[in-house]
Amino acid sequence: MDVGESAENDNPHHISPELYEDLVHYFKYASSAYQPICLRPNGNTLVSQFSNVVSDIQGFVARDTRRREIVVAIRGSASVTDILMDSQIVLVPLLSPGVTVPSGTRVHSGFLVTWNSISIQLLAIMRLELAKHPEFSIVTTGHSLGGSIALLAAVALQQIFAERQVRTYSYGAPRTGNQIFAEYVNGLFGTKAYRVVHGNDGVPTVIPTSLGYRHHGIEYWQYTHPPSEQTTFQCAANGEDERCSASTPSQGVNLAHTNYFGILVSTPFCL
């Protein structure tokens, strides 16, 4: 089903237990990406780590044989360099190896620089791994800055490995690009782009729409406690549902940003 295909998505509604379990499952990868090394990501096989010392970004590629998927997890902000990248909010054309997007597509300049700093390295890892596992799908995931980079990675991976299914999960990620970019992402992934927000986490709304930014859909808003499928809304497909997290004025980095589903960000799931 494409984004916007069903009128049901125009009204926030609670999600299924199965979807809730998936959202938690991929958050554990995103949380583990904060570790210097994760030998068994989410209990699965570590394929390779990747990093760039200049942009100070890191992550890993893992293989889940049971789910038959290759998972790319990217760390969120953890240093002064990351914060500097976060602050580079000028919208620039999306120019990246292997990527072709509609005219007028623009993204956060700091996020793009960060993604491009690891893109060739990551794509080389993925080519080798996917050649060994031609039937596996691809998942990207990340928290905060990592969620935005995971989205850019998903766009590149879906274009370069067009025969594979690609899904992407972000947790507490800021707006990444303009409306043309958001609409392109919605068309490329449909319901396979999962954007999760915890309560009044201020990071997803810290970059305002007045600067030309717009979220892609669909948002999954875990709005109150205790965390469960009954306290998580699936919001409208337009990415900017004013009845969900956009209804809360941004407080920037706050307590809600530091934990998702009752899990403290950077908790390792590496055994």
Side-chain angles (χ1 to χ4, degrees):
M1 180 182 67
D2 292 334
V3 168
E5 183 178 328
S6 172
E8 181 185 9
N9 284 343
D10 291 337
N11 296 302
H13 57 279
H14 294 122
I15 65 174
S16 68
E18 294 77 15
L19 176 54
Y20 179 80
E21 290 177 6
D22 267 0
L23 298 181
V24 175
H25 178 78
Y26 293 107
F27 176 70
K28 290 179 179 178
Y29 283 110
S31 183
S32 299
Y34 282 89
Q35 299 302 309
I37 186 168
C38 186
L39 295 176
R40 294 277 295 165
N42 222 359
N44 292 300
T45 302
L46 175 65
V47 173
S48 180
Q49 295 186 260
F50 56 85
S51 63
N52 183 282
V53 294
V54 176
S55 63
D56 192 26
I57 195 72
Q58 70 178 37
F60 58 76
V61 176
R63 180 174 65 251
D64 185 334
T65 303
R66 184 178 66 84
R67 293 189 179 220
R68 300 168 73 82
E69 60 192 21
I70 308 299
V71 181
V72 178
I74 301 175
R75 189 195 70 192
S77 299
S79 68
V80 173
T81 300
D82 294 335
I83 293 170
L84 289 173
M85 289 298 181
D86 289 339
S87 67
Q88 305 303 307
I89 61 174
V90 174
L91 285 164
V92 297
L94 203 178
L95 301 175
S96 189
V99 174
T100 302
V101 291
S103 176
T105 301
R106 284 172 168 70
V107 295
H108 185 288
S109 59
F111 299 163
L112 181 61
V113 167
T114 303
W115 160 241
N116 281 339
S117 75
I118 57 169
S119 62
I120 294 175
Q121 181 184 4
L122 176 58
L123 291 172
I125 295 169
M126 293 298 287
R127 283 191 181 95
L128 289 173
E129 188 63 17
L130 292 170
K132 299 175 187 175
H133 302 282
E135 74 282 13
F136 280 33
S137 62
I138 301 170
V139 176
T140 72
T141 181
H143 167 259
S144 194
L145 164 69
S148 288
I149 307 306
L151 177 61
L152 294 175
V155 169
L157 290 166
Q158 185 63 86
Q159 287 204 11
I160 294 168
F161 305 103
E163 74 283 2
R164 305 296 179 111
Q165 182 191 84
V166 179
R167 307 193 316 280
T168 184
Y169 295 77
S170 70
Y171 303 86
R175 294 180 174 101
T176 303
N178 65 359
Q179 182 165 345
I180 296 173
F181 174 71
E183 291 173 351
Y184 175 71
V185 168
N186 289 345
L188 186 64
F189 295 108
T191 57
K192 297 191 294 292
Y194 300 84
R195 186 171 58 81
V196 185
V197 180
H198 173 214
N200 66 343
D201 183 349
V203 171
T205 50
V206 71
I207 303 176
T209 56
S210 60
L211 295 180
Y213 282 83
R214 188 174 183 87
H215 271 309
H216 67 279
I218 299 168
E219 177 185 319
Y220 296 89
W221 187 35
Q222 201 273 295
Y223 58 91
T224 189
H225 293 283
S228 74
E229 66 273 15
Q230 290 300 316
T231 59
T232 305
F233 271 142
Q234 177 174 324
C235 304
N238 64 8
E240 297 289 348
D241 193 334
E242 294 182 355
R243 297 161 296 184
C244 291
S245 68
S247 65
T248 305
S250 177
Q251 300 177 27
V253 179
N254 56 5
L255 186 61
H257 187 65
T258 66
N259 70 92
Y260 270 67
F261 310 113
I263 301 169
L264 182 66
V265 170
S266 79
T267 299
F269 295 88
C270 299
L271 299 176

